[in-house]
Amino acid sequence: MDRLTSRGPPGHPHQKVSSCCQLTVRVLEARNLRWADLLSEADPYVTLQLPTAPGIKFKTKTITNCNHPVWDEAFSFLIQSQVKNVLELTVYDEDSVKEDDVCLLFHYDLSEVLPGKLLRKTFSQGQEELDVEFMMETMSDHPETLITNNVLVARELSCLDVHLHSTGDTAEVADQEKLELDLELKGSYEGKQTLTLDTAPLRFHHLAAQETELSTCLRSSKSSGWFSDNSAGHLTVPLKSLAREKEVTIDVPATNVSDLNMQLKAESCSEELAVHLGFDLCAEEQAFLSKRKQVVAKALKHALKLDRDLQEDEVPIVGIAATGGGARAMTSLYGHVLALQKLGLLDCVTYFSGTSGSTWTMAHLYANPEWSQSDLEGPISHTREHLAKSKLKTFSPELLARYHQELEQRREQGHSSTFVDLWALMLEHMLHGQVMDQKLSGQKAALARGQNPLPLYSSLNVKENSQETLDFKEWVEFSPYEVGFLKYGAFVPPEIFGSEFFMGRLMRRIPESRICFLEGIWSNVYSLNLLDVWYNITSSGEAWKQHIKAKIRKLEETPASSGASSRTSSWLEASWLQPGTALANALRGFLTNRPLHHQGSNFLHGLQLHRDYCCQKPFSTWADSQLDSCPRQLTPQEPQLCLVDASYFINTSCLSLFRPGRKLDLILSFDYCLNAPFEALQQTEQYCRAQGLPFPRVEPSLQEQRQPAQCHLFSDPDCPEAPVVLHFPLVNAADGPHSSAELPAGKADLTSINSPYALCNMTYKEEDFDCLLQLSEHNVRSSQDSLLQALRMALGRRTRAPQAQT
């Protein structure tokens, strides 16, 4: 029986009390099993595993020399019906010489197993078949409190405290040898721990509904390492035998040691949910929006010469979307922001999004809480100086030693340390020449009064070693308020991003990283696998573009983008996967492994997918990965995150602007590509349409493609939800009214093979830096009329109030 205790709108987190069910799986028989080797028939057995019942794995007996084995064995799981339960059935061929071979592998969605009704299924793969029976029974005495946003589910946790205690002669033994008790609770967050005599109790966190057992093994410090009696200290304690909130004492059997016991206490877990489950904007961002609208309203009234003050609901939402492009993007973005400031339009912007190289500019600007109201010559001069210097010192022995020392300190704090972290420290020295003690959470000071736009940084989460980037990618958003997945509706404050979590609870707090390590993630160009490299090397530029377009078009053909709600709850039903040979698996791993990948703690760890997760519109909007059809392979099942530069897929940062609740009216698109001024924007449009996100048609004329102007306006009158987009490509456009004052002699070399603005170049001459900076500033300042027109269009989306002409 299920009962709601509190509930918000769809997609918002709510609590639900739901009873568990007992699932009985009877493995009957198999037929026509192939021979696993040439010398004998199969020696088959079957394993059963449920990711939603962690730590529990069952195995049938082995039937020797038989291709038609009959097992008729039953196994029971205690499961939660509100989550997506996918049973894994694997038929092995036992081998005494080498590793057991996988003969058959089936994944079965249990949602079609109804309580009280026996269901018999035959799983087949070619001629090979496996017969299994299922029976489900509701357990009214096992209620569980769930917290869910209808995509992810945080289940109820329990804690188990264990204390090793001794009296009498045991203390004398302890003087001569050290006693250690190895403990294992499968499926718990801690897994295995070691307890010593009379030390503080150890704690295990596990699912409250988990029916598993605590295993112990006693060790001593004697040279033998183990007690001579193999039974010494070996003990198993079923968790269901322990009464809640009561301390239980259990003797630990050990040879030559008396009065040794464990004190166990099982109790409810008091830790509150640290992961925000919901697709709505967090309270801090909503408060910021109210403050920022006051600033924007004042700026718009001045810029558009309005004859009255705007009400809060009349203020349009304007966002900057800056692409990546290394030092070129960083330099150009300074010019674009400087121009907006000089035109008095920077205060009209509410959101500021960037990816890859553009995040270097953003992170530097937001170190000053008053940056948009300050003279930008300071940060620009700082960047000019460090771009012009030689980068050889970055690789000097003394700096390499300092990098190593800081990485060691991070490891001691609990952070994982990878090559990407080393790249981050090198990047920090290239851009700043010193340690910058800044953190993402510290940027909240720049938002306290709504005095600056809200910065949004983008990244992609990919598979570490099983998929090419384009086949599995999930958008991850970073802001000073929270970090999280648009797809799952799961976010954490930046102060605890990188810490360790289990089932949405904070288990181990790790100090927040300096922002340079996040910049290393946002511009992580080292996590390509060989499949990605192969496509890049063997494809022409046009072929690579077509490869990306094919991946986007594939989204339009999948149910995820065309309406996942049309699926029934048993859409997975029975699926089988042909196990590959060892050689095939090794080859696949060689092609998809990321030798220099980022690795960080997964704050989704332990959370489970709701039984109807794939029918939820917020999830299906971002379900652009092939593995979405197999929930057991989605990110909540991964122990680590693998984050890369978002430009691996599309060189855009504007996807965060489409998060529900933001409702952008105007996007200022700053593109830093040298040779294809509309490519990223067209890919963004195609991707948005595949995902059902409103976006205007991007259809430049042939003349515009051959000779792009300083800016291009795109809108869609037939789609009022689509924002207006004002696109600024990086071009040497026609002279404008400010050209003589802003542009040095000659034009920036953007296209030749000797261009100083190549993506991999991190060293600019000062005159090249100034040329690109001034060109970017000029292109925006010369487009003042277009900017004001776009702002009027954005304002018209919110109100029809009379507006004075400029």
Side-chain angles (χ1 to χ4, degrees):
M1 181 177 63
D2 298 339
R3 176 171 57 87
L4 289 177
T5 55
S6 67
R7 186 181 180 91
H12 291 234
H14 56 272
Q15 286 190 353
K16 185 173 189 176
V17 177
S18 177
S19 296
C20 292
C21 297
Q22 180 170 290
L23 171 71
T24 301
V25 183
R26 183 174 293 276
V27 181
L28 299 174
E29 60 181 317
R31 293 179 293 278
N32 306 317
L33 293 182
R34 58 185 172 87
W35 288 20
D37 55 58
L38 300 177
L39 301 178
S40 66
E41 293 186 70
D43 301 323
Y45 65 90
V46 181
T47 63
L48 303 87
Q49 200 165 6
L50 263 176
T52 48
I56 299 175
K57 185 175 183 178
F58 294 116
K59 175 182 175 296
T60 68
K61 60 180 177 289
T62 301
I63 309 294
T64 58
N65 295 324
C66 183
N67 64 357
H68 187 167
V70 177
W71 292 283
D72 196 22
E73 294 184 57
F75 307 93
S76 292
F77 296 91
L78 191 63
I79 67 172
Q80 174 53 249
S81 61
Q82 292 297 311
V83 304
K84 177 64 71 174
N85 294 293
V86 179
L87 179 67
E88 182 179 292
L89 293 158
T90 310
V91 181
Y92 286 91
D93 175 29
E94 190 172 79
D95 198 308
S96 58
V97 178
K98 57 183 181 68
E99 186 176 349
D100 295 348
D101 294 305
V102 177
C103 299
L104 298 171
L105 174 60
F106 301 101
H107 295 130
Y108 178 58
D109 181 5
L110 296 168
S111 58
E112 69 172 17
V113 182
L114 302 178
K117 293 186 178 181
L118 182 68
L119 177 64
R120 178 165 178 157
K121 295 285 292 187
T122 297
F123 301 97
S124 60
Q125 179 182 314
Q127 298 296 317
E128 299 171 282
E129 296 181 331
L130 176 67
D131 290 342
V132 183
E133 284 184 351
F134 300 91
M135 173 63 77
M136 189 89 72
E137 181 183 0
T138 302
M139 308 289 288
S140 58
D141 59 337
H142 282 74
E144 201 177 357
T145 300
L146 312 176
I147 302 175
T148 179
N149 62 359
N150 293 330
V151 171
L152 292 176
V153 178
R155 297 179 62 182
E156 195 173 337
L157 287 186
S158 289
C159 298
L160 178 65
D161 292 330
V162 187
H163 185 200
L164 186 63
H165 183 68
S166 66
T167 59
D169 295 337
T170 308
E172 298 177 7
V173 174
D175 290 337
Q176 303 172 17
E177 57 179 332
K178 184 178 180 181
L179 299 176
E180 294 182 342
L181 190 64
D182 289 337
L183 305 167
E184 181 178 12
L185 184 58
K186 292 181 179 179
S188 66
Y189 161 73
E190 293 79 6
K192 294 181 179 180
Q193 297 189 84
T194 298
L195 185 61
T196 57
L197 198 61
D198 290 327
T199 58
L202 293 178
R203 170 162 286 196
F204 290 91
H205 296 81
H206 62 93
L207 286 180
Q210 188 176 16
E211 288 194 345
T212 184
E213 57 189 18
L214 177 70
S215 301
T216 72
C217 180
L218 189 65
R219 292 188 292 120
S220 77
S221 60
K222 289 182 177 179
S223 58
S224 62
W226 298 89
F227 286 96
S228 57
D229 183 355
N230 289 333
S231 64
H234 287 266
L235 186 68
T236 58
V237 182
L239 294 190
K240 62 182 180 182
S241 67
L242 301 177
R244 287 287 184 95
E245 313 298 334
K246 291 185 178 180
E247 190 169 84
V248 177
T249 300
I250 299 177
D251 292 334
V252 178
T255 305
N256 299 326
V257 179
S258 60
D259 299 321
L260 186 64
N261 57 64
M262 285 190 304
Q263 295 173 345
L264 307 176
K265 186 176 182 181
E267 56 187 4
S268 298
C269 179
S270 60
E271 285 91 346
E272 295 183 357
L273 222 59
V275 177
H276 166 217
L277 292 182
F279 295 91
D280 53 324
L281 302 180
C282 67
E284 288 177 299
E285 182 172 342
Q286 293 181 38
F288 161 81
L289 285 175
S290 183
K291 297 173 186 175
R292 184 62 181 174
K293 284 182 178 181
Q294 297 177 33
V295 176
V296 173
K298 183 178 179 180
L300 282 173
K301 182 180 180 182
H302 181 266
L304 300 181
K305 296 182 171 57
L306 303 178
D307 56 8
R308 68 177 184 87
D309 294 333
L310 295 175
Q311 300 300 313
E312 184 171 311
D313 61 349
E314 296 176 320
V315 178
I317 304 297
V318 180
I320 290 174
T323 70
R328 179 177 69 242
M330 176 178 64
T331 304
S332 299
L333 184 53
Y334 278 120
H336 285 147
V337 172
L338 181 62
L340 290 175
Q341 186 189 58
K342 289 181 177 180
L343 291 173
L345 300 180
L346 189 53
D347 279 347
C348 298
V349 177
T350 298
Y351 289 103
F352 188 172
S353 67
T355 187
S356 197
S358 60
T359 66
W360 305 343
T361 297
M362 296 170 62
H364 190 200
L365 288 175
Y366 279 88
N368 175 7
E370 309 297 329
W371 73 265
S372 65
Q373 314 301 319
S374 306
D375 185 355
L376 297 183
E377 183 53 38
I380 290 174
S381 297
H382 174 94
T383 302
R384 179 192 295 113
E385 174 191 348
H386 289 283
L387 269 187
K389 71 184 181 185
S390 170
K391 302 302 183 291
L392 290 178
K393 188 178 179 182
T394 303
F395 308 96
S396 65
E398 56 268 27
L399 279 178
L400 290 175
R402 183 178 69 76
Y403 303 152
H404 175 73
Q405 182 180 6
E406 181 161 1
L407 293 178
E408 283 295 321
Q409 292 173 349
R410 282 175 60 79
R411 276 191 285 267
E412 292 172 1
Q413 291 173 342
H415 291 283
S416 59
S417 181
T418 67
F419 179 82
V420 176
D421 297 314
L422 176 60
W423 152 247
L425 292 173
M426 291 178 172
L427 181 64
E428 180 183 52
H429 185 267
M430 291 180 192
L431 299 181
H432 303 292
Q434 60 182 343
V435 173
M436 306 293 285
D437 190 17
Q438 301 165 12
K439 297 173 181 174
L440 181 58
S441 63
Q443 294 183 4
K444 291 178 185 178
L447 309 173
R449 306 185 315 279
Q451 69 268 37
N452 297 295
L454 174 62
L456 300 173
Y457 308 87
S458 297
S459 183
L460 287 178
N461 180 56
V462 298
K463 284 290 183 180
E464 179 182 320
N465 56 12
S466 63
Q467 293 280 309
E468 65 168 298
T469 301
L470 298 185
D471 278 339
F472 186 89
K473 59 214 168 289
E474 297 174 329
W475 295 97
V476 181
E477 170 187 298
F478 293 76
S479 86
Y481 296 137
E482 55 183 7
V483 179
F485 287 85
L486 303 175
K487 172 178 177 177
Y488 300 105
F491 301 86
V492 295
E495 292 91 338
I496 55 175
F497 175 72
S499 296
E500 295 180 10
F501 295 78
F502 183 63
M503 198 58 75
R505 282 83 169 179
L506 180 62
M507 294 287 107
R508 180 189 179 195
R509 183 163 188 148
I510 295 174
E512 182 182 1
S513 293
R514 292 192 295 111
I515 202 166
C516 78
F517 292 103
L518 298 183
E519 291 180 90
I521 292 173
W522 301 329
S523 56
N524 176 8
V525 295
Y526 297 103
S527 289
L528 285 170
N529 58 34
L530 287 183
L531 278 181
D532 297 325
V533 175
W534 174 258
Y535 283 124
N536 264 307
I537 292 177
T538 61
S539 303
S540 65
E542 185 60 33
W544 177 243
K545 297 173 195 174
Q546 293 303 321
H547 182 59
I548 293 178
K549 288 179 180 178
K551 295 296 181 183
I552 297 175
R553 280 196 299 270
K554 193 167 187 178
L555 303 178
E556 297 175 306
E557 301 166 1
T558 60
S561 60
S562 60
S565 59
S566 61
R567 300 176 180 179
T568 65
S569 60
S570 59
W571 58 269
L572 183 64
E573 293 192 355
S575 64
W576 62 268
L577 301 176
Q578 173 64 48
T581 64
L583 178 61
N585 290 335
L587 178 61
R588 180 176 182 81
F590 175 73
L591 291 174
T592 59
N593 187 47
R594 302 175 191 272
L596 300 177
H597 66 278
H598 157 79
Q599 193 176 63
S601 296
N602 180 9
F603 60 87
L604 301 185
H605 177 54
L607 291 168
Q608 298 181 357
L609 288 156
H610 191 275
R611 64 182 180 185
D612 299 323
Y613 78 96
C614 219
C615 301
Q616 305 303 317
K617 187 179 185 302
F619 175 88
S620 61
T621 297
W622 304 98
D624 58 347
S625 304
Q626 292 181 353
L627 293 184
D628 284 335
S629 62
C630 197
R632 57 181 295 281
Q633 297 188 52
L634 289 175
T635 300
Q637 297 293 327
E638 298 287 347
Q640 302 281 335
L641 299 179
C642 184
L643 301 178
V644 302
D645 190 328
S647 299
Y648 276 147
F649 179 44
I650 304 176
N651 191 10
T652 185
S653 64
C654 74
L655 274 303
S656 285
L657 302 179
F658 289 92
R659 182 176 169 188
R662 292 191 173 140
K663 298 179 181 179
L664 269 288
D665 297 292
L666 171 63
I667 295 175
L668 304 180
S669 170
F670 295 142
D671 192 314
Y672 305 122
C673 180
L674 289 180
N675 302 312
F678 300 101
E679 177 188 288
L681 193 64
Q682 288 175 316
Q683 290 177 349
T684 301
E685 179 215 339
Q686 192 174 7
Y687 176 83
C688 286
R689 291 191 179 277
Q691 299 289 13
L693 295 169
F695 202 88
R697 293 288 183 185
V698 180
E699 298 173 335
S701 66
L702 291 176
Q703 176 62 24
E704 289 175 323
Q705 294 181 53
R706 284 194 296 266
Q707 190 174 1
Q710 291 162 319
C711 72
H712 300 261
L713 191 145
F714 300 99
S715 63
D716 191 345
D718 297 329
C719 182
E721 297 83 13
V724 177
V725 175
L726 191 62
H727 184 61
F728 291 84
L730 188 59
V731 293
N732 287 301
D735 292 341
H738 305 280
S739 58
S740 61
E742 295 173 7
L743 291 178
K747 295 182 177 180
D749 180 5
L750 301 177
T751 56
S752 80
I753 194 171
N754 297 317
S755 171
Y757 309 117
L759 180 64
C760 296
N761 186 20
M762 289 292 293
T763 304
Y764 287 1
K765 295 178 180 178
E766 288 195 6
E767 55 265 31
D768 291 330
F769 176 90
D770 289 336
C771 186
L772 183 58
L773 177 80
Q774 292 166 13
L775 173 65
S776 302
E777 180 187 353
H778 161 75
N779 284 351
V780 171
R781 294 192 68 184
S782 296
S783 304
Q784 181 177 9
D785 291 343
S786 297
L787 279 162
L788 295 177
Q789 177 192 357
L791 287 169
R792 291 190 191 95
M793 293 175 66
L795 182 60
R797 291 162 55 93
R798 296 276 175 166
T799 175
R800 295 184 179 275
Q803 302 168 37
Q805 296 299 317
T806 304

